[in-house]
Amino acid sequence: MVNLRDRVKELMSRLEADYRSRTRKSLEFFNRAAALLPGGTTYQIRFFKPYPIYVTRAKGVNVWDVDGNQYVDYWMGHGAHIMGHSPDFVVKAVNEAALNGTHLGYPNTLEVEYAELLTKVIPNAEMVRFSNSGTEANMYAVRLARAYTGRKYIVKVEGGWHGGYDALHVGVNPPFEGPESLGLPEEYIKYTLVVPYNDLNALERALSSHDVAAVIIEPVPGSGGCIEPQPNYLRGVRELTMRYGSLLIFDEVITGFRLALGGGQEYFNVKADIVTLGKIIGGGYPGAGAIASTSEIMELLNQVKRPNARARSFHGGTFTGNVITLTAGYTMINYLRRNRSIYDQFNELWDWTRRRINEVCEGHDRLCWATGVGSMIGIHFTTSKPINVREAYQLRIDESLYDLMHLYMRVNGILYMTEHMPHLLPSIIHGREHAQALVDALDNMLSMITHG
């Protein structure tokens, strides 16, 4: 292992020199940003060592930095750009809509039409409310579940990221207990229980020992490493929640409209009680989020039937139902609905890519493993294939391998997030040539490590 570390350190030094020579203007911007933005960024995951690039343009599958370097993007706006950056048909629709107002602040016809579309394509969704982000959707969904069941406890899985909402900001990173942030009192998470992914026994222990309002779970964890559910795991989660009278919330902020038009519910044929959405639902524009559920549950938000504010579950926000975001989202989801067959080819390509990555890893002393479902790909430098995020950390061969891969890919024109837990979210317009280039780049990097 010492030899591996020495080799990685040597490669890192060489690659960093190359990176610095290619990104001098980005360094200038980072130095300016460090004086104005804490950590030099607007979101900590956008920092990578020794400093991030500054993107000035994006189109299709590519982004360009301030130094003029071009990259194939596998992050795609945190997974929001399912049809690539700035698809012309969405931009055109939004620009036309903006001429009639950018934010109306009143009910608008599109919120009705979009809700009608969503209830047609999302399984088990009879009613919809729009929110400003996936985080907001999860916050309101948890509150709604507690209102419906009259219970307090929420169960989430280790590594699950549901945004910065206090009650769910626990169990994201090792040691998977206690607040994930300064300023978050223990009392704010005392009704949140954390269990490992792919572990039905742990889930049943939590459900049997507490009055649980809801289990919230990403069908495939995103920032948790894109680790696939074991056979019948999600079906088992559904059965356990029904047995113990808890609601099942599918956080489909990433999986929604990605794994299938109907998201993880359709792909795995498992129905949730509440679905939360973000990213793709906004068509690539900001302020994207929604809650979808049955009428029985959603009526707890109904101010007409429940005029007393304290007799209903609150939901609202200045920019909810914003016509710009709704236009982009409606245009995108309607396009995907009319071209539903593209999902088969989309998932097939990235299933093939994952197999090829695993073959490459096998050919280089099994330094890594690829996980995921469809177009969600995780890469792990572990001693065996992880089945949950706890293993993805505990089984690591060497942390520096993650830094090396991220830096190597940047220097070779490929971008993804994040340094510490690679999860790639390609778009439908990424082609076989892009997938092959990714496989080849990983193969070359591993060859440098194992053969010098």
Side-chain angles (χ1 to χ4, degrees), residues 80-151:
H81 301 307
I82 194 68
M83 289 299 298
H85 289 280
S86 301
D88 292 339
F89 68 97
V90 174
V91 174
K92 180 176 183 291
V94 169
N95 289 345
E96 290 174 355
L99 296 175
N100 294 317
T102 58
H103 178 52
L104 305 179
Y106 296 99
N108 60 78
T109 56
L110 190 55
E111 65 189 26
V112 180
E113 293 169 358
Y114 196 10
E116 288 173 339
L117 173 60
L118 291 174
T119 57
K120 291 175 183 176
V121 300
I122 300 172
N124 215 32
E126 297 172 338
M127 302 187 85
V128 176
R129 274 286 185 97
F130 297 103
S131 64
N132 291 306
S133 67
T135 297
E136 274 194 12
N138 285 322
M139 175 180 73
Y140 288 123
V142 166
R143 185 179 293 175
L144 186 58
R146 284 171 166 160
Y148 181 79
T149 62
R151 300 176 177 182

Coordinates of all heavy atoms in Angstrom, one line a residue, residues 80-151:
A80 N -29.9 18.2 -13.3 CA -31.1 18.8 -13.8 C -31.3 18.8 -15.3 O -32.4 18.8 -15.8 CB -31.1 20.3 -13.3
H81 N -30.1 18.7 -16.0 CA -30.2 18.9 -17.5 C -30.3 17.5 -18.2 O -29.3 17.0 -18.8 CB -29.0 19.6 -17.9 CG -28.8 21.0 -17.3 ND1 -29.9 21.9 -17.4 CD2 -27.8 21.6 -16.7 CE1 -29.5 23.0 -16.8 NE2 -28.2 22.9 -16.3
I82 N -31.4 16.9 -18.1 CA -31.6 15.6 -18.7 C -31.5 15.6 -20.2 O -31.1 14.6 -20.8 CB -33.0 15.0 -18.3 CG1 -33.1 13.5 -18.6 CG2 -34.1 15.8 -19.0 CD1 -32.2 12.6 -17.7
M83 N -31.7 16.7 -20.9 CA -31.6 16.8 -22.3 C -30.4 17.7 -22.7 O -30.3 18.3 -23.7 CB -32.8 17.4 -23.0 CG -34.0 16.4 -23.0 SD -33.6 14.9 -23.9 CE -33.4 15.5 -25.5
G84 N -29.4 17.8 -21.8 CA -28.2 18.6 -22.0 C -28.4 20.0 -21.6 O -29.5 20.5 -21.3
H85 N -27.3 20.8 -21.7 CA -27.4 22.2 -21.3 C -28.2 23.0 -22.4 O -27.9 22.8 -23.6 CB -26.0 22.8 -21.2 CG -25.2 22.3 -20.0 ND1 -25.4 22.9 -18.7 CD2 -24.3 21.4 -19.9 CE1 -24.6 22.3 -17.9 NE2 -23.9 21.4 -18.5
S86 N -29.1 23.8 -21.9 CA -29.8 24.8 -22.8 C -30.4 24.2 -24.0 O -30.1 24.7 -25.1 CB -28.8 26.0 -23.1 OG -28.4 26.6 -22.0
P87 N -31.2 23.2 -23.9 CA -31.9 22.7 -25.2 C -32.7 23.8 -25.8 O -33.5 24.5 -25.1 CB -32.8 21.6 -24.7 CG -32.9 21.8 -23.2 CD -31.7 22.5 -22.7
D88 N -32.6 24.0 -27.1 CA -33.2 25.1 -27.8 C -34.7 25.2 -27.6 O -35.3 26.2 -27.5 CB -32.9 25.0 -29.3 CG -31.4 25.2 -29.6 OD1 -30.7 25.8 -28.8 OD2 -30.9 24.8 -30.7
F89 N -35.4 24.0 -27.6 CA -36.8 24.0 -27.5 C -37.3 24.5 -26.2 O -38.4 25.2 -26.1 CB -37.4 22.7 -27.9 CG -37.1 21.6 -26.9 CD1 -38.1 21.2 -25.9 CD2 -36.0 20.8 -26.9 CE1 -37.8 20.2 -25.0 CE2 -35.7 19.8 -26.0 CZ -36.6 19.5 -25.1
V90 N -36.6 24.3 -25.1 CA -36.9 24.8 -23.8 C -36.6 26.3 -23.7 O -37.5 27.1 -23.2 CB -36.2 24.0 -22.7 CG1 -36.5 24.6 -21.3 CG2 -36.6 22.6 -22.7
V91 N -35.4 26.7 -24.1 CA -35.1 28.1 -24.1 C -36.0 29.0 -24.9 O -36.5 30.0 -24.4 CB -33.6 28.3 -24.6 CG1 -33.3 29.8 -24.7 CG2 -32.6 27.6 -23.7
K92 N -36.4 28.5 -26.0 CA -37.4 29.2 -26.9 C -38.7 29.4 -26.1 O -39.3 30.5 -26.1 CB -37.6 28.5 -28.2 CG -38.6 29.2 -29.2 CD -38.6 28.4 -30.5 CE -39.5 29.1 -31.5 NZ -40.9 29.0 -31.1
A93 N -39.2 28.4 -25.5 CA -40.5 28.4 -24.8 C -40.4 29.4 -23.7 O -41.4 30.2 -23.4 CB -40.9 27.0 -24.4
V94 N -39.3 29.4 -22.9 CA -39.2 30.2 -21.8 C -39.1 31.7 -22.2 O -39.7 32.6 -21.6 CB -38.0 29.8 -20.9 CG1 -37.6 30.9 -19.9 CG2 -38.2 28.5 -20.2
N95 N -38.3 32.0 -23.2 CA -38.1 33.3 -23.7 C -39.5 33.9 -24.1 O -39.8 35.1 -23.9 CB -37.1 33.4 -24.8 CG -35.7 33.2 -24.3 OD1 -35.4 33.2 -23.1 ND2 -34.8 32.9 -25.2
E96 N -40.3 33.1 -24.8 CA -41.6 33.6 -25.2 C -42.5 33.8 -24.0 O -43.2 34.8 -24.0 CB -42.2 32.6 -26.2 CG -41.5 32.5 -27.5 CD -42.1 31.4 -28.4 OE1 -42.9 30.6 -27.9 OE2 -41.6 31.2 -29.5
A97 N -42.4 32.9 -23.0 CA -43.3 33.1 -21.8 C -42.9 34.4 -21.0 O -43.8 35.0 -20.5 CB -43.2 31.9 -20.9
A98 N -41.6 34.7 -21.0 CA -41.1 35.8 -20.2 C -41.7 37.1 -20.7 O -41.8 38.1 -19.9 CB -39.6 35.8 -20.2
L99 N -42.1 37.2 -22.0 CA -42.6 38.4 -22.5 C -44.0 38.8 -21.9 O -44.4 39.9 -21.9 CB -42.8 38.3 -24.0 CG -41.5 38.1 -24.9 CD1 -41.9 37.9 -26.3 CD2 -40.6 39.3 -24.7
N100 N -44.6 37.8 -21.3 CA -45.9 38.0 -20.6 C -45.8 38.1 -19.1 O -46.7 38.2 -18.4 CB -46.9 36.9 -20.9 CG -47.3 36.9 -22.4 OD1 -47.5 37.9 -23.0 ND2 -47.3 35.7 -23.0
G101 N -44.5 38.2 -18.6 CA -44.3 38.3 -17.2 C -43.3 37.3 -16.7 O -43.5 36.1 -17.0
T102 N -42.3 37.7 -15.9 CA -41.4 36.7 -15.4 C -41.8 36.1 -14.0 O -41.4 34.9 -13.7 CB -40.0 37.3 -15.1 OG1 -40.2 38.4 -14.2 CG2 -39.4 37.9 -16.5
H103 N -42.6 36.8 -13.3 CA -43.2 36.2 -12.0 C -44.5 36.9 -11.8 O -44.6 38.1 -11.5 CB -42.2 36.4 -10.9 CG -42.8 35.9 -9.6 ND1 -43.3 34.7 -9.4 CD2 -43.0 36.5 -8.4 CE1 -43.7 34.5 -8.2 NE2 -43.6 35.6 -7.5
L104 N -45.6 36.1 -11.9 CA -46.9 36.7 -11.9 C -47.4 36.9 -10.4 O -48.1 37.9 -10.2 CB -47.9 35.9 -12.7 CG -47.5 35.6 -14.1 CD1 -48.5 34.7 -14.8 CD2 -47.3 36.9 -14.9
G105 N -47.1 36.0 -9.5 CA -47.6 36.2 -8.2 C -49.1 35.9 -8.0 O -49.6 36.1 -6.9
Y106 N -49.7 35.4 -9.0 CA -51.1 35.0 -8.9 C -51.3 33.6 -9.6 O -50.4 33.1 -10.3 CB -52.0 36.0 -9.7 CG -52.0 37.4 -9.2 CD1 -51.2 38.4 -9.8 CD2 -52.9 37.7 -8.1 CE1 -51.2 39.7 -9.3 CE2 -52.9 39.0 -7.6 CZ -52.1 40.0 -8.2 OH -52.1 41.3 -7.7
P107 N -52.4 33.0 -9.4 CA -52.6 31.7 -10.1 C -52.5 31.9 -11.6 O -52.9 33.0 -12.1 CB -54.1 31.3 -9.7 CG -54.3 32.0 -8.4 CD -53.5 33.3 -8.4
N108 N -51.9 30.9 -12.2 CA -51.7 31.0 -13.7 C -52.2 29.7 -14.3 O -52.2 28.7 -13.7 CB -50.3 31.4 -14.1 CG -49.3 30.4 -13.6 OD1 -49.1 29.3 -14.2 ND2 -48.6 30.7 -12.5
T109 N -52.5 29.8 -15.6 CA -53.1 28.6 -16.3 C -52.1 27.5 -16.4 O -52.5 26.3 -16.4 CB -53.6 29.0 -17.7 OG1 -52.5 29.6 -18.4 CG2 -54.7 30.0 -17.6
L110 N -50.8 27.8 -16.5 CA -49.8 26.8 -16.7 C -49.7 25.9 -15.5 O -49.4 24.7 -15.6 CB -48.5 27.4 -17.0 CG -47.4 26.4 -17.5 CD1 -47.9 25.5 -18.7 CD2 -46.1 27.1 -17.9
E111 N -49.9 26.4 -14.3 CA -49.8 25.5 -13.1 C -50.9 24.4 -13.1 O -50.6 23.3 -12.6 CB -49.9 26.4 -11.8 CG -51.1 27.1 -11.5 CD -51.1 28.0 -10.4 OE1 -50.0 28.5 -10.1 OE2 -52.1 28.3 -9.7
V112 N -52.0 24.7 -13.7 CA -53.0 23.7 -13.8 C -52.7 22.7 -14.9 O -52.7 21.5 -14.7 CB -54.4 24.4 -14.2 CG1 -55.5 23.3 -14.3 CG2 -54.8 25.4 -13.2
E113 N -52.2 23.2 -16.1 CA -51.9 22.3 -17.2 C -50.7 21.4 -16.8 O -50.6 20.2 -17.1 CB -51.5 23.1 -18.4 CG -52.8 23.9 -19.0 CD -52.4 24.9 -20.0 OE1 -51.2 25.1 -20.3 OE2 -53.3 25.5 -20.6
Y114 N -49.7 22.0 -16.1 CA -48.5 21.2 -15.7 C -48.9 20.1 -14.7 O -48.5 19.0 -14.7 CB -47.4 22.1 -15.2 CG -46.0 21.4 -15.1 CD1 -45.8 20.2 -15.7 CD2 -45.0 22.1 -14.5 CE1 -44.5 19.6 -15.6 CE2 -43.7 21.5 -14.4 CZ -43.5 20.3 -15.0 OH -42.2 19.7 -14.9
A115 N -49.7 20.5 -13.7 CA -50.2 19.6 -12.7 C -51.0 18.4 -13.4 O -50.8 17.2 -13.0 CB -51.1 20.2 -11.7
E116 N -51.8 18.7 -14.4 CA -52.5 17.7 -15.1 C -51.5 16.7 -15.8 O -51.7 15.5 -15.8 CB -53.4 18.3 -16.2 CG -54.6 19.0 -15.5 CD -55.5 19.8 -16.6 OE1 -54.9 20.1 -17.7 OE2 -56.7 20.1 -16.3
L117 N -50.5 17.3 -16.4 CA -49.5 16.4 -17.0 C -48.8 15.5 -16.0 O -48.6 14.3 -16.3 CB -48.5 17.3 -17.8 CG -47.3 16.6 -18.4 CD1 -47.7 15.6 -19.4 CD2 -46.3 17.7 -19.0
L118 N -48.4 16.1 -14.9 CA -47.6 15.3 -13.9 C -48.5 14.2 -13.4 O -48.0 13.1 -13.1 CB -47.1 16.2 -12.8 CG -46.1 17.2 -13.2 CD1 -45.8 18.2 -12.0 CD2 -44.8 16.5 -13.6
T119 N -49.8 14.4 -13.1 CA -50.6 13.4 -12.6 C -50.8 12.2 -13.6 O -51.2 11.1 -13.2 CB -52.0 13.9 -12.1 OG1 -52.6 14.5 -13.2 CG2 -51.8 14.8 -10.9
K120 N -50.6 12.5 -14.9 CA -50.7 11.5 -15.9 C -49.4 10.6 -16.0 O -49.5 9.5 -16.4 CB -50.9 12.1 -17.3 CG -52.3 12.7 -17.4 CD -52.5 13.5 -18.7 CE -53.8 14.1 -18.9 NZ -53.9 14.9 -20.1
V121 N -48.3 11.2 -15.6 CA -47.0 10.5 -15.9 C -46.4 9.9 -14.6 O -45.5 9.0 -14.6 CB -46.0 11.3 -16.6 CG1 -46.5 11.7 -18.0 CG2 -45.5 12.5 -15.8
I122 N -46.8 10.5 -13.4 CA -46.2 10.0 -12.1 C -47.1 9.0 -11.5 O -48.3 9.4 -11.2 CB -45.9 11.2 -11.2 CG1 -45.0 12.2 -11.8 CG2 -45.4 10.7 -9.8 CD1 -44.8 13.5 -11.0
P123 N -46.7 7.8 -11.3 CA -47.6 6.8 -10.6 C -48.1 7.3 -9.3 O -47.4 7.9 -8.5 CB -46.7 5.6 -10.5 CG -45.6 5.8 -11.6 CD -45.4 7.2 -11.6
N124 N -49.3 6.9 -9.0 CA -49.9 7.2 -7.6 C -50.0 8.6 -7.3 O -50.2 9.0 -6.1 CB -49.1 6.4 -6.6 CG -49.9 5.9 -5.5 OD1 -51.1 5.5 -5.7 ND2 -49.4 5.9 -4.2
A125 N -49.9 9.5 -8.3 CA -50.0 11.0 -8.0 C -51.4 11.5 -8.5 O -51.6 11.5 -9.7 CB -48.9 11.7 -8.7
E126 N -52.2 11.9 -7.6 CA -53.5 12.5 -8.0 C -53.6 14.0 -7.8 O -54.4 14.6 -8.5 CB -54.6 11.9 -7.1 CG -54.7 10.4 -7.2 CD -55.7 9.7 -6.2 OE1 -55.9 10.3 -5.1 OE2 -56.2 8.6 -6.5
M127 N -52.7 14.5 -7.0 CA -52.6 16.0 -6.8 C -51.1 16.4 -6.7 O -50.3 15.6 -6.3 CB -53.4 16.4 -5.6 CG -54.9 16.0 -5.6 SD -55.9 16.8 -4.3 CE -56.2 18.4 -5.0
V128 N -50.9 17.7 -7.0 CA -49.5 18.2 -7.0 C -49.5 19.6 -6.3 O -50.5 20.3 -6.4 CB -49.0 18.3 -8.4 CG1 -47.6 19.0 -8.5 CG2 -49.0 17.0 -9.1
R129 N -48.4 19.9 -5.7 CA -48.1 21.2 -5.2 C -46.6 21.5 -5.6 O -45.8 20.7 -5.4 CB -48.2 21.4 -3.7 CG -49.6 21.8 -3.3 CD -50.0 23.2 -3.6 NE -51.3 23.6 -3.0 CZ -51.5 24.2 -1.8 NH1 -50.4 24.5 -1.1 NH2 -52.7 24.5 -1.4
F130 N -46.4 22.7 -6.2 CA -45.1 23.1 -6.6 C -44.3 23.8 -5.5 O -44.9 24.5 -4.7 CB -45.1 24.0 -7.9 CG -45.7 23.3 -9.1 CD1 -47.0 23.6 -9.4 CD2 -45.0 22.4 -9.8 CE1 -47.6 23.0 -10.6 CE2 -45.5 21.8 -10.9 CZ -46.8 22.0 -11.3
S131 N -43.0 23.6 -5.5 CA -42.1 24.2 -4.5 C -40.9 24.8 -5.2 O -40.8 24.7 -6.4 CB -41.7 23.2 -3.4 OG -40.9 22.2 -4.0
N132 N -40.1 25.4 -4.4 CA -38.9 26.1 -5.0 C -37.7 25.3 -5.1 O -36.7 25.8 -5.7 CB -38.6 27.4 -4.2 CG -39.7 28.5 -4.4 OD1 -40.1 28.8 -5.5 ND2 -40.3 28.9 -3.3
S133 N -37.7 24.1 -4.6 CA -36.5 23.3 -4.6 C -36.8 21.9 -4.2 O -37.9 21.7 -3.6 CB -35.3 23.8 -3.8 OG -35.7 23.8 -2.4
G134 N -35.9 20.9 -4.4 CA -36.1 19.6 -3.8 C -36.1 19.6 -2.3 O -36.8 18.9 -1.6
T135 N -35.2 20.5 -1.7 CA -35.1 20.6 -0.3 C -36.5 21.0 0.3 O -37.0 20.4 1.2 CB -34.1 21.6 0.1 OG1 -32.8 21.2 -0.3 CG2 -34.1 21.9 1.6
E136 N -37.1 22.0 -0.3 CA -38.4 22.5 0.1 C -39.5 21.4 0.0 O -40.3 21.2 0.9 CB -38.9 23.7 -0.7 CG -38.4 25.0 -0.1 CD -39.1 26.2 -0.8 OE1 -40.2 26.0 -1.4 OE2 -38.7 27.3 -0.6
A137 N -39.4 20.7 -1.1 CA -40.4 19.6 -1.3 C -40.3 18.5 -0.2 O -41.3 18.1 0.3 CB -40.1 18.9 -2.7
N138 N -39.0 18.2 0.2 CA -38.9 17.2 1.2 C -39.3 17.8 2.6 O -39.9 17.0 3.4 CB -37.4 16.8 1.3 CG -37.0 15.9 0.2 OD1 -37.8 15.0 -0.2 ND2 -35.8 16.0 -0.3
M139 N -39.1 19.0 2.8 CA -39.5 19.6 4.1 C -41.0 19.6 4.2 O -41.6 19.2 5.2 CB -39.0 21.1 4.1 CG -39.5 21.9 5.3 SD -39.0 23.6 5.4 CE -40.0 24.3 4.1
Y140 N -41.7 20.0 3.1 CA -43.2 20.0 3.2 C -43.7 18.6 3.2 O -44.8 18.3 3.8 CB -43.7 20.8 2.0 CG -43.5 22.3 2.1 CD1 -42.9 23.0 1.2 CD2 -44.0 23.0 3.3 CE1 -42.7 24.4 1.3 CE2 -43.9 24.3 3.4 CZ -43.2 25.0 2.4 OH -43.1 26.4 2.5
A141 N -43.0 17.6 2.5 CA -43.5 16.3 2.5 C -43.4 15.6 3.9 O -44.3 14.9 4.3 CB -42.7 15.4 1.5
V142 N -42.4 15.9 4.6 CA -42.2 15.4 6.0 C -43.3 16.0 6.9 O -44.0 15.2 7.7 CB -40.8 15.7 6.6 CG1 -40.8 15.5 8.1 CG2 -39.8 14.8 5.9
R143 N -43.6 17.2 6.8 CA -44.6 17.9 7.6 C -46.0 17.3 7.2 O -46.8 17.0 8.1 CB -44.6 19.4 7.3 CG -45.6 20.1 8.2 CD -45.5 21.6 7.9 NE -44.2 22.2 8.4 CZ -43.9 23.4 8.2 NH1 -44.7 24.3 7.6 NH2 -42.7 23.9 8.6
L144 N -46.2 17.1 5.9 CA -47.5 16.5 5.5 C -47.7 15.1 6.0 O -48.7 14.7 6.4 CB -47.5 16.5 3.9 CG -48.8 16.1 3.2 CD1 -50.0 16.9 3.7 CD2 -48.6 16.1 1.7
A145 N -46.6 14.3 6.0 CA -46.7 12.9 6.5 C -47.0 12.9 8.0 O -47.8 12.1 8.5 CB -45.3 12.2 6.2
R146 N -46.4 13.8 8.7 CA -46.7 13.9 10.2 C -48.1 14.3 10.4 O -48.8 13.8 11.3 CB -45.7 14.9 10.8 CG -44.3 14.3 11.0 CD -43.3 15.3 11.5 NE -42.1 14.7 12.0 CZ -40.9 15.3 12.1 NH1 -40.8 16.6 11.7 NH2 -39.8 14.6 12.5
A147 N -48.6 15.2 9.6 CA -50.0 15.7 9.7 C -50.9 14.6 9.4 O -52.0 14.4 10.2 CB -50.2 16.9 8.8
Y148 N -50.7 13.8 8.4 CA -51.6 12.7 8.0 C -51.6 11.6 9.0 O -52.7 11.0 9.4 CB -51.2 12.2 6.7 CG -52.1 11.1 6.1 CD1 -53.3 11.4 5.6 CD2 -51.7 9.8 6.2 CE1 -54.1 10.4 5.1 CE2 -52.5 8.8 5.7 CZ -53.7 9.1 5.2 OH -54.5 8.1 4.7
T149 N -50.4 11.2 9.5 CA -50.4 10.0 10.5 C -50.5 10.4 11.9 O -50.9 9.5 12.7 CB -49.0 9.3 10.3 OG1 -48.0 10.2 10.7 CG2 -48.8 8.8 8.9
G150 N -50.3 11.7 12.3 CA -50.3 12.1 13.7 C -49.1 11.6 14.4 O -49.1 11.6 15.7
R151 N -48.1 11.1 13.7 CA -46.9 10.6 14.4 C -45.7 11.6 14.2 O -45.7 12.5 13.3 CB -46.5 9.3 13.8 CG -47.6 8.2 14.0 CD -47.2 6.9 13.3 NE -48.1 5.8 13.5 CZ -47.9 4.6 13.0 NH1 -46.8 4.3 12.3 NH2 -48.8 3.7 13.2

